[in-house]
PDB file of all heavy atoms in Angstrom:
ATOM      1  N   ILE A  59      16.047 -17.225  54.107  1.00  0.00           N
ATOM      2  CA  ILE A  59      16.284 -17.899  52.839  1.00  0.00           C
ATOM      3  C   ILE A  59      15.228 -18.975  52.614  1.00  0.00           C
ATOM      4  O   ILE A  59      14.685 -19.126  51.512  1.00  0.00           O
ATOM      5  CB  ILE A  59      17.704 -18.509  52.809  1.00  0.00           C
ATOM      6  CG1 ILE A  59      18.748 -17.397  52.872  1.00  0.00           C
ATOM      7  CG2 ILE A  59      17.912 -19.346  51.561  1.00  0.00           C
ATOM      8  CD1 ILE A  59      20.170 -17.891  53.061  1.00  0.00           C
ATOM      9  N   SER A  60      14.913 -19.715  53.659  1.00  0.00           N
ATOM     10  CA  SER A  60      13.865 -20.728  53.563  1.00  0.00           C
ATOM     11  C   SER A  60      12.522 -20.078  53.246  1.00  0.00           C
ATOM     12  O   SER A  60      11.728 -20.606  52.458  1.00  0.00           O
ATOM     13  CB  SER A  60      13.766 -21.517  54.873  1.00  0.00           C
ATOM     14  OG  SER A  60      14.952 -22.218  55.135  1.00  0.00           O
ATOM     15  N   ALA A  61      12.264 -18.922  53.871  1.00  0.00           N
ATOM     16  CA  ALA A  61      11.009 -18.213  53.627  1.00  0.00           C
ATOM     17  C   ALA A  61      10.885 -17.791  52.165  1.00  0.00           C
ATOM     18  O   ALA A  61       9.784 -17.795  51.599  1.00  0.00           O
ATOM     19  CB  ALA A  61      10.917 -16.988  54.537  1.00  0.00           C
ATOM     20  N   TYR A  62      12.007 -17.426  51.557  1.00  0.00           N
ATOM     21  CA  TYR A  62      11.998 -17.070  50.144  1.00  0.00           C
ATOM     22  C   TYR A  62      11.510 -18.241  49.296  1.00  0.00           C
ATOM     23  O   TYR A  62      10.634 -18.111  48.440  1.00  0.00           O
ATOM     24  CB  TYR A  62      13.395 -16.632  49.697  1.00  0.00           C
ATOM     25  CG  TYR A  62      13.688 -16.891  48.245  1.00  0.00           C
ATOM     26  CD1 TYR A  62      12.952 -16.277  47.243  1.00  0.00           C
ATOM     27  CD2 TYR A  62      14.704 -17.764  47.867  1.00  0.00           C
ATOM     28  CE1 TYR A  62      13.208 -16.530  45.905  1.00  0.00           C
ATOM     29  CE2 TYR A  62      14.969 -18.020  46.550  1.00  0.00           C
ATOM     30  CZ  TYR A  62      14.217 -17.403  45.565  1.00  0.00           C
ATOM     31  OH  TYR A  62      14.474 -17.666  44.248  1.00  0.00           O
ATOM     32  N   PHE A  63      12.066 -19.423  49.543  1.00  0.00           N
ATOM     33  CA  PHE A  63      11.671 -20.592  48.762  1.00  0.00           C
ATOM     34  C   PHE A  63      10.234 -21.007  49.065  1.00  0.00           C
ATOM     35  O   PHE A  63       9.527 -21.511  48.190  1.00  0.00           O
ATOM     36  CB  PHE A  63      12.638 -21.753  49.020  1.00  0.00           C
ATOM     37  CG  PHE A  63      13.968 -21.574  48.356  1.00  0.00           C
ATOM     38  CD1 PHE A  63      15.094 -21.263  49.100  1.00  0.00           C
ATOM     39  CD2 PHE A  63      14.102 -21.695  46.979  1.00  0.00           C
ATOM     40  CE1 PHE A  63      16.326 -21.088  48.492  1.00  0.00           C
ATOM     41  CE2 PHE A  63      15.329 -21.512  46.358  1.00  0.00           C
ATOM     42  CZ  PHE A  63      16.443 -21.207  47.114  1.00  0.00           C
ATOM     43  N   GLU A  64       9.803 -20.797  50.293  1.00  0.00           N
ATOM     44  CA  GLU A  64       8.417 -21.096  50.628  1.00  0.00           C
ATOM     45  C   GLU A  64       7.472 -20.204  49.830  1.00  0.00           C
ATOM     46  O   GLU A  64       6.445 -20.662  49.328  1.00  0.00           O
ATOM     47  CB  GLU A  64       8.199 -20.906  52.130  1.00  0.00           C
ATOM     48  CG  GLU A  64       8.872 -21.981  52.973  1.00  0.00           C
ATOM     49  CD  GLU A  64       8.783 -21.691  54.459  1.00  0.00           C
ATOM     50  OE1 GLU A  64       8.150 -20.678  54.823  1.00  0.00           O
ATOM     51  OE2 GLU A  64       9.348 -22.462  55.260  1.00  0.00           O
ATOM     52  N   SER A  65       7.816 -18.920  49.714  1.00  0.00           N
ATOM     53  CA  SER A  65       6.996 -17.999  48.923  1.00  0.00           C
ATOM     54  C   SER A  65       6.995 -18.392  47.455  1.00  0.00           C
ATOM     55  O   SER A  65       5.965 -18.330  46.774  1.00  0.00           O
ATOM     56  CB  SER A  65       7.514 -16.559  49.065  1.00  0.00           C
ATOM     57  OG  SER A  65       7.269 -16.061  50.337  1.00  0.00           O
ATOM     58  N   LEU A  66       8.160 -18.790  46.971  1.00  0.00           N
ATOM     59  CA  LEU A  66       8.273 -19.195  45.565  1.00  0.00           C
ATOM     60  C   LEU A  66       7.363 -20.380  45.273  1.00  0.00           C
ATOM     61  O   LEU A  66       6.600 -20.376  44.296  1.00  0.00           O
ATOM     62  CB  LEU A  66       9.729 -19.542  45.253  1.00  0.00           C
ATOM     63  CG  LEU A  66      10.098 -19.859  43.802  1.00  0.00           C
ATOM     64  CD1 LEU A  66      11.548 -19.477  43.542  1.00  0.00           C
ATOM     65  CD2 LEU A  66       9.907 -21.339  43.473  1.00  0.00           C
ATOM     66  N   ILE A  67       7.419 -21.406  46.107  1.00  0.00           N
ATOM     67  CA  ILE A  67       6.592 -22.601  45.895  1.00  0.00           C
ATOM     68  C   ILE A  67       5.121 -22.281  46.115  1.00  0.00           C
ATOM     69  O   ILE A  67       4.251 -22.710  45.346  1.00  0.00           O
ATOM     70  CB  ILE A  67       7.060 -23.736  46.824  1.00  0.00           C
ATOM     71  CG1 ILE A  67       8.468 -24.199  46.422  1.00  0.00           C
ATOM     72  CG2 ILE A  67       6.089 -24.914  46.781  1.00  0.00           C
ATOM     73  CD1 ILE A  67       9.103 -25.176  47.386  1.00  0.00           C
ATOM     74  N   ALA A  68       4.816 -21.498  47.159  1.00  0.00           N
ATOM     75  CA  ALA A  68       3.422 -21.162  47.462  1.00  0.00           C
ATOM     76  C   ALA A  68       2.781 -20.342  46.353  1.00  0.00           C
ATOM     77  O   ALA A  68       1.560 -20.407  46.153  1.00  0.00           O
ATOM     78  CB  ALA A  68       3.344 -20.410  48.782  1.00  0.00           C
ATOM     79  N   SER A  69       3.579 -19.592  45.615  1.00  0.00           N
ATOM     80  CA  SER A  69       3.019 -18.759  44.539  1.00  0.00           C
ATOM     81  C   SER A  69       2.432 -19.608  43.412  1.00  0.00           C
ATOM     82  O   SER A  69       1.666 -19.109  42.589  1.00  0.00           O
ATOM     83  CB  SER A  69       4.088 -17.813  43.984  1.00  0.00           C
ATOM     84  OG  SER A  69       5.091 -18.530  43.274  1.00  0.00           O
ATOM     85  N   TYR A  70       2.794 -20.899  43.369  1.00  0.00           N
ATOM     86  CA  TYR A  70       2.245 -21.805  42.358  1.00  0.00           C
ATOM     87  C   TYR A  70       0.999 -22.541  42.860  1.00  0.00           C
ATOM     88  O   TYR A  70       0.374 -23.286  42.108  1.00  0.00           O
ATOM     89  CB  TYR A  70       3.295 -22.841  41.944  1.00  0.00           C
ATOM     90  CG  TYR A  70       4.391 -22.285  41.077  1.00  0.00           C
ATOM     91  CD1 TYR A  70       5.648 -22.027  41.602  1.00  0.00           C
ATOM     92  CD2 TYR A  70       4.165 -22.008  39.730  1.00  0.00           C
ATOM     93  CE1 TYR A  70       6.664 -21.512  40.809  1.00  0.00           C
ATOM     94  CE2 TYR A  70       5.169 -21.503  38.927  1.00  0.00           C
ATOM     95  CZ  TYR A  70       6.424 -21.256  39.473  1.00  0.00           C
ATOM     96  OH  TYR A  70       7.424 -20.747  38.671  1.00  0.00           O
ATOM     97  N   LEU A  71       0.656 -22.360  44.144  1.00  0.00           N
ATOM     98  CA  LEU A  71      -0.485 -23.062  44.722  1.00  0.00           C
ATOM     99  C   LEU A  71      -1.743 -22.209  44.601  1.00  0.00           C
ATOM    100  O   LEU A  71      -1.748 -21.168  43.949  1.00  0.00           O
ATOM    101  CB  LEU A  71      -0.183 -23.417  46.177  1.00  0.00           C
ATOM    102  CG  LEU A  71       1.082 -24.267  46.396  1.00  0.00           C
ATOM    103  CD1 LEU A  71       1.282 -24.537  47.886  1.00  0.00           C
ATOM    104  CD2 LEU A  71       1.006 -25.575  45.624  1.00  0.00           C
ATOM    105  N   GLN A  72      -2.814 -22.650  45.257  1.00  0.00           N
ATOM    106  CA  GLN A  72      -4.101 -21.969  45.148  1.00  0.00           C
ATOM    107  C   GLN A  72      -4.040 -20.549  45.695  1.00  0.00           C
ATOM    108  O   GLN A  72      -3.161 -20.209  46.496  1.00  0.00           O
ATOM    109  CB  GLN A  72      -5.148 -22.764  45.930  1.00  0.00           C
ATOM    110  CG  GLN A  72      -4.876 -22.818  47.433  1.00  0.00           C
ATOM    111  CD  GLN A  72      -5.964 -23.511  48.211  1.00  0.00           C
ATOM    112  OE1 GLN A  72      -7.018 -23.811  47.677  1.00  0.00           O
ATOM    113  NE2 GLN A  72      -5.731 -23.779  49.488  1.00  0.00           N
ATOM    114  N   THR A  73      -5.005 -19.724  45.264  1.00  0.00           N
ATOM    115  CA  THR A  73      -5.111 -18.366  45.788  1.00  0.00           C
ATOM    116  C   THR A  73      -5.286 -18.410  47.305  1.00  0.00           C
ATOM    117  O   THR A  73      -6.097 -19.178  47.821  1.00  0.00           O
ATOM    118  CB  THR A  73      -6.318 -17.639  45.161  1.00  0.00           C
ATOM    119  OG1 THR A  73      -6.082 -17.477  43.765  1.00  0.00           O
ATOM    120  CG2 THR A  73      -6.519 -16.273  45.795  1.00  0.00           C
ATOM    121  N   GLY A  74      -4.548 -17.601  47.988  1.00  0.00           N
ATOM    122  CA  GLY A  74      -4.597 -17.569  49.446  1.00  0.00           C
ATOM    123  C   GLY A  74      -3.479 -18.348  50.112  1.00  0.00           C
ATOM    124  O   GLY A  74      -3.276 -18.223  51.321  1.00  0.00           O
ATOM    125  N   ALA A  75      -2.729 -19.150  49.329  1.00  0.00           N
ATOM    126  CA  ALA A  75      -1.665 -19.963  49.928  1.00  0.00           C
ATOM    127  C   ALA A  75      -0.576 -19.082  50.538  1.00  0.00           C
ATOM    128  O   ALA A  75      -0.127 -19.314  51.662  1.00  0.00           O
ATOM    129  CB  ALA A  75      -1.070 -20.900  48.882  1.00  0.00           C
ATOM    130  N   VAL A  76      -0.148 -18.063  49.795  1.00  0.00           N
ATOM    131  CA  VAL A  76       0.895 -17.162  50.293  1.00  0.00           C
ATOM    132  C   VAL A  76       0.416 -16.438  51.549  1.00  0.00           C
ATOM    133  O   VAL A  76       1.142 -16.311  52.540  1.00  0.00           O
ATOM    134  CB  VAL A  76       1.312 -16.154  49.203  1.00  0.00           C
ATOM    135  CG1 VAL A  76       2.308 -15.149  49.773  1.00  0.00           C
ATOM    136  CG2 VAL A  76       1.916 -16.872  48.000  1.00  0.00           C
ATOM    137  N   ALA A  77      -0.840 -15.967  51.503  1.00  0.00           N
ATOM    138  CA  ALA A  77      -1.388 -15.249  52.659  1.00  0.00           C
ATOM    139  C   ALA A  77      -1.507 -16.166  53.874  1.00  0.00           C
ATOM    140  O   ALA A  77      -1.154 -15.786  54.997  1.00  0.00           O
ATOM    141  CB  ALA A  77      -2.752 -14.660  52.301  1.00  0.00           C
ATOM    142  N   ASN A  78      -2.023 -17.386  53.664  1.00  0.00           N
ATOM    143  CA  ASN A  78      -2.187 -18.316  54.790  1.00  0.00           C
ATOM    144  C   ASN A  78      -0.849 -18.683  55.422  1.00  0.00           C
ATOM    145  O   ASN A  78      -0.731 -18.784  56.652  1.00  0.00           O
ATOM    146  CB  ASN A  78      -2.904 -19.588  54.318  1.00  0.00           C
ATOM    147  CG  ASN A  78      -4.412 -19.401  54.247  1.00  0.00           C
ATOM    148  OD1 ASN A  78      -4.982 -18.598  54.985  1.00  0.00           O
ATOM    149  ND2 ASN A  78      -5.058 -20.125  53.356  1.00  0.00           N
ATOM    150  N   ILE A  79       0.168 -18.896  54.587  1.00  0.00           N
ATOM    151  CA  ILE A  79       1.498 -19.190  55.120  1.00  0.00           C
ATOM    152  C   ILE A  79       2.007 -17.995  55.917  1.00  0.00           C
ATOM    153  O   ILE A  79       2.613 -18.144  56.983  1.00  0.00           O
ATOM    154  CB  ILE A  79       2.472 -19.545  53.987  1.00  0.00           C
ATOM    155  CG1 ILE A  79       2.146 -20.944  53.451  1.00  0.00           C
ATOM    156  CG2 ILE A  79       3.921 -19.498  54.458  1.00  0.00           C
ATOM    157  CD1 ILE A  79       3.000 -21.369  52.278  1.00  0.00           C
ATOM    158  N   GLY A  80       1.739 -16.799  55.423  1.00  0.00           N
ATOM    159  CA  GLY A  80       2.160 -15.597  56.143  1.00  0.00           C
ATOM    160  C   GLY A  80       1.486 -15.471  57.493  1.00  0.00           C
ATOM    161  O   GLY A  80       2.138 -15.171  58.502  1.00  0.00           O
ATOM    162  N   TYR A  81       0.168 -15.704  57.534  1.00  0.00           N
ATOM    163  CA  TYR A  81      -0.547 -15.649  58.812  1.00  0.00           C
ATOM    164  C   TYR A  81      -0.014 -16.714  59.774  1.00  0.00           C
ATOM    165  O   TYR A  81       0.190 -16.447  60.966  1.00  0.00           O
ATOM    166  CB  TYR A  81      -2.043 -15.861  58.589  1.00  0.00           C
ATOM    167  CG  TYR A  81      -2.731 -14.746  57.847  1.00  0.00           C
ATOM    168  CD1 TYR A  81      -3.563 -15.008  56.759  1.00  0.00           C
ATOM    169  CD2 TYR A  81      -2.560 -13.417  58.230  1.00  0.00           C
ATOM    170  CE1 TYR A  81      -4.200 -13.988  56.066  1.00  0.00           C
ATOM    171  CE2 TYR A  81      -3.199 -12.383  57.547  1.00  0.00           C
ATOM    172  CZ  TYR A  81      -4.013 -12.681  56.465  1.00  0.00           C
ATOM    173  OH  TYR A  81      -4.644 -11.663  55.782  1.00  0.00           O
ATOM    174  N   ALA A  82       0.195 -17.925  59.258  1.00  0.00           N
ATOM    175  CA  ALA A  82       0.684 -19.014  60.110  1.00  0.00           C
ATOM    176  C   ALA A  82       2.091 -18.725  60.622  1.00  0.00           C
ATOM    177  O   ALA A  82       2.401 -18.992  61.787  1.00  0.00           O
ATOM    178  CB  ALA A  82       0.654 -20.329  59.335  1.00  0.00           C
ATOM    179  N   GLN A  83       2.940 -18.184  59.762  1.00  0.00           N
ATOM    180  CA  GLN A  83       4.315 -17.904  60.180  1.00  0.00           C
ATOM    181  C   GLN A  83       4.369 -16.818  61.242  1.00  0.00           C
ATOM    182  O   GLN A  83       5.254 -16.833  62.107  1.00  0.00           O
ATOM    183  CB  GLN A  83       5.166 -17.516  58.968  1.00  0.00           C
ATOM    184  CG  GLN A  83       5.555 -18.700  58.105  1.00  0.00           C
ATOM    185  CD  GLN A  83       6.471 -18.309  56.980  1.00  0.00           C
ATOM    186  OE1 GLN A  83       6.523 -17.151  56.579  1.00  0.00           O
ATOM    187  NE2 GLN A  83       7.195 -19.274  56.445  1.00  0.00           N
ATOM    188  N   LEU A  84       3.435 -15.892  61.172  1.00  0.00           N
ATOM    189  CA  LEU A  84       3.401 -14.851  62.207  1.00  0.00           C
ATOM    190  C   LEU A  84       3.193 -15.479  63.581  1.00  0.00           C
ATOM    191  O   LEU A  84       3.826 -15.092  64.573  1.00  0.00           O
ATOM    192  CB  LEU A  84       2.284 -13.849  61.911  1.00  0.00           C
ATOM    193  CG  LEU A  84       2.238 -12.618  62.818  1.00  0.00           C
ATOM    194  CD1 LEU A  84       3.403 -11.694  62.509  1.00  0.00           C
ATOM    195  CD2 LEU A  84       0.926 -11.884  62.662  1.00  0.00           C
ATOM    196  N   LEU A  85       2.323 -16.490  63.634  1.00  0.00           N
ATOM    197  CA  LEU A  85       2.098 -17.203  64.884  1.00  0.00           C
ATOM    198  C   LEU A  85       3.244 -18.157  65.203  1.00  0.00           C
ATOM    199  O   LEU A  85       3.724 -18.219  66.333  1.00  0.00           O
ATOM    200  CB  LEU A  85       0.789 -17.998  64.789  1.00  0.00           C
ATOM    201  CG  LEU A  85      -0.498 -17.255  65.150  1.00  0.00           C
ATOM    202  CD1 LEU A  85      -1.719 -18.032  64.660  1.00  0.00           C
ATOM    203  CD2 LEU A  85      -0.594 -17.037  66.647  1.00  0.00           C
ATOM    204  N   ALA A  86       3.678 -18.904  64.176  1.00  0.00           N
ATOM    205  CA  ALA A  86       4.695 -19.934  64.398  1.00  0.00           C
ATOM    206  C   ALA A  86       6.027 -19.352  64.840  1.00  0.00           C
ATOM    207  O   ALA A  86       6.776 -19.985  65.590  1.00  0.00           O
ATOM    208  CB  ALA A  86       4.875 -20.765  63.136  1.00  0.00           C
ATOM    209  N   THR A  87       6.341 -18.141  64.366  1.00  0.00           N
ATOM    210  CA  THR A  87       7.621 -17.527  64.734  1.00  0.00           C
ATOM    211  C   THR A  87       7.542 -16.735  66.040  1.00  0.00           C
ATOM    212  O   THR A  87       8.567 -16.257  66.523  1.00  0.00           O
ATOM    213  CB  THR A  87       8.114 -16.585  63.619  1.00  0.00           C
ATOM    214  OG1 THR A  87       7.104 -15.590  63.350  1.00  0.00           O
ATOM    215  CG2 THR A  87       8.412 -17.359  62.345  1.00  0.00           C
ATOM    216  N   LEU A  88       6.339 -16.616  66.611  1.00  0.00           N
ATOM    217  CA  LEU A  88       6.217 -15.868  67.874  1.00  0.00           C
ATOM    218  C   LEU A  88       7.045 -16.500  68.992  1.00  0.00           C
ATOM    219  O   LEU A  88       7.817 -15.801  69.654  1.00  0.00           O
ATOM    220  CB  LEU A  88       4.755 -15.759  68.284  1.00  0.00           C
ATOM    221  CG  LEU A  88       4.510 -15.100  69.656  1.00  0.00           C
ATOM    222  CD1 LEU A  88       5.011 -13.661  69.665  1.00  0.00           C
ATOM    223  CD2 LEU A  88       3.027 -15.145  70.020  1.00  0.00           C
ATOM    224  N   PRO A  89       6.930 -17.817  69.248  1.00  0.00           N
ATOM    225  CA  PRO A  89       7.743 -18.391  70.336  1.00  0.00           C
ATOM    226  C   PRO A  89       9.244 -18.259  70.092  1.00  0.00           C
ATOM    227  O   PRO A  89      10.002 -17.944  71.016  1.00  0.00           O
ATOM    228  CB  PRO A  89       7.315 -19.871  70.350  1.00  0.00           C
ATOM    229  CG  PRO A  89       5.980 -19.896  69.695  1.00  0.00           C
ATOM    230  CD  PRO A  89       6.027 -18.825  68.660  1.00  0.00           C
ATOM    231  N   SER A  90       9.681 -18.482  68.834  1.00  0.00           N
ATOM    232  CA  SER A  90      11.116 -18.383  68.552  1.00  0.00           C
ATOM    233  C   SER A  90      11.596 -16.947  68.665  1.00  0.00           C
ATOM    234  O   SER A  90      12.728 -16.694  69.094  1.00  0.00           O
ATOM    235  CB  SER A  90      11.426 -18.945  67.164  1.00  0.00           C
ATOM    236  OG  SER A  90      10.705 -18.263  66.166  1.00  0.00           O
ATOM    237  N   SER A  91      10.742 -15.990  68.299  1.00  0.00           N
ATOM    238  CA  SER A  91      11.132 -14.582  68.415  1.00  0.00           C
ATOM    239  C   SER A  91      11.071 -14.107  69.859  1.00  0.00           C
ATOM    240  O   SER A  91      11.996 -13.456  70.355  1.00  0.00           O
ATOM    241  CB  SER A  91      10.213 -13.710  67.554  1.00  0.00           C
ATOM    242  OG  SER A  91      10.345 -14.025  66.193  1.00  0.00           O
ATOM    243  N   LEU A  92       9.976 -14.450  70.528  1.00  0.00           N
ATOM    244  CA  LEU A  92       9.763 -13.957  71.885  1.00  0.00           C
ATOM    245  C   LEU A  92      10.719 -14.601  72.879  1.00  0.00           C
ATOM    246  O   LEU A  92      11.327 -13.924  73.709  1.00  0.00           O
ATOM    247  CB  LEU A  92       8.311 -14.221  72.307  1.00  0.00           C
ATOM    248  CG  LEU A  92       7.881 -13.725  73.685  1.00  0.00           C
ATOM    249  CD1 LEU A  92       8.106 -12.229  73.812  1.00  0.00           C
ATOM    250  CD2 LEU A  92       6.425 -14.071  73.932  1.00  0.00           C
TER     251      LEU A  92
END
């Protein structure tokens, strides 16, 4: 649910914001997932 709102807000930011958040979350969620 939080990720949904992050995407919503990021869609109003500069080009690449959604992609950068996605790349970062892939790394950031690795410890919590693993």
